[in-house]
């Protein structure tokens, strides 16, 4: 059911290395995910990367809750989408992705994430990054944009975290930053990996 979307993402990863898609997933599913992110508890302070559970709020100041299957609920449906994308990317680009991890993230007013890469060259385990936004009525004065550069530090894009917008990029090639949010900001960040935990 997502074949056109998978094809578009795959072509963009080959051509540009990243893509920004508005209204990427079904609106009903997007709304269910927004409600889960807004209304369920269990969020914990985010670390800087896994394997490195340090919490340094001067670099990153949001809270997260890991996504898991929920018996056919919205999280399972989201993971069906990502599972299909993983298989499509493997079939067409031979990436050998074998694991997808993702979490809801909440940025309170004043929260941000300094410029960083999602994958460190000595680990090489996060290959493709995804971010899916869950914010109704977000305007440029609300801050919280995602800024993306290429790996020669040329500025590429400023993305408003609007409900339904999906960003996909190669984890090792694009430094990026989340600007200070001036409104509570909801999203799902995820990574396709080559290792199995
Ligand atoms: C991340 C990240 C971007 C965003 O969680 O690693 O870069 O726009 N998130 O939330
Ligand atoms: Mn990131």
């Amino acid at each position: 059911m997502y074949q056109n979307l998978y094809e578009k993402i795959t072509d963009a990863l080959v051509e540009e290395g990243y893509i920004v898609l508005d209204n990427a997933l079904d609106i009903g599913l997007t709304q269910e995910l927004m409600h889960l992110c807004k209304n369920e508890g269990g969020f914990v302070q985010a670390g800087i990367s896994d394997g490195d559970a340090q919490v340094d709020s001067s670099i990153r100041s949001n809270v997260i809750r890991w996504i898991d299957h929920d018996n056919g609920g919205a999280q399972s449906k989201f993971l069906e989408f990502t599972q299909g994308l993983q298989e499509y990317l493997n079939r067409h680009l031979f990436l050998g992705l074998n694991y997808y991890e993702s979490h809801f993230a909440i940025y309170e007013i004043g929260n941000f994430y300094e410029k960083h890469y999602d994958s460190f060259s000595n680990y090489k385990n996060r290959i493709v990054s995804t971010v899916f936004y869950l914010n109704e009525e977000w305007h440029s004065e609300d801050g919280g944009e995602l800024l993306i550069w290429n790996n020669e530090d040329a500025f590429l894009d400023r993305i408003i975290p609007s409900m339904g917008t999906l960003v996909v990029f190669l984890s090792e090639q694009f430094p990026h930053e989340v600007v200070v949010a001036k409104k509570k900001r909801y999203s799902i960040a995820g990574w396709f990996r080559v290792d199995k935990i």
Side-chain angles (χ1 to χ4, degrees), residues 136-145 158 160-162 183:
E136 290 173 304
E137 295 289 314
W138 197 279
H139 306 289
S140 35
E141 63 267 25
D142 299 327
E145 299 101 327
R158 168 179 169 273
I160 306 271
S162 298
K183 243 169 60 176

Side-chain angles (χ1 to χ4, degrees), residues 21-136:
L21 294 149
D22 295 336
N23 304 314
L25 302 184
D26 173 76
I27 182 66
L29 173 58
T30 305
Q31 278 167 348
E32 282 178 57
L33 290 167
M34 178 192 73
H35 288 302
L36 284 178
C37 189
K38 274 190 174 175
N39 302 327
E40 292 208 349
F43 282 77
V44 296
Q45 189 67 48
I48 299 307
S49 75
D50 65 329
D52 172 3
Q54 101 194 75
V55 174
D56 183 347
S57 58
S58 67
I59 297 171
R60 179 184 187 180
S61 53
N62 58 314
V63 294
I64 63 164
R65 182 161 62 79
W66 291 97
I67 287 194
D68 206 349
H69 285 279
D70 54 0
N71 292 314
Q75 294 182 78
S76 289
K77 287 184 205 147
F78 179 75
L79 293 174
E80 273 167 36
F81 160 71
T82 62
Q83 178 65 28
L85 178 57
Q86 177 176 313
E87 287 163 14
Y88 195 97
L89 290 171
N90 284 342
R91 211 158 45 237
H92 293 84
L93 305 182
F94 309 105
L95 291 181
L97 308 171
N98 59 9
Y99 187 77
Y100 179 73
E101 61 184 353
S102 56
H103 59 62
F104 290 109
I106 300 178
Y107 289 67
E108 297 287 344
I109 293 171
N111 284 178
F112 59 90
Y113 196 166
E114 278 182 7
K115 194 171 173 185
H116 65 281
Y117 283 97
D118 281 347
S119 185
F120 307 102
S121 46
N122 48 335
Y123 291 111
K124 286 197 180 298
N125 53 8
R126 287 177 165 178
I127 305 297
V128 176
S129 301
T130 64
V131 195
F132 187 53
Y133 297 110
L134 303 171
N135 304 291
E136 290 173 304

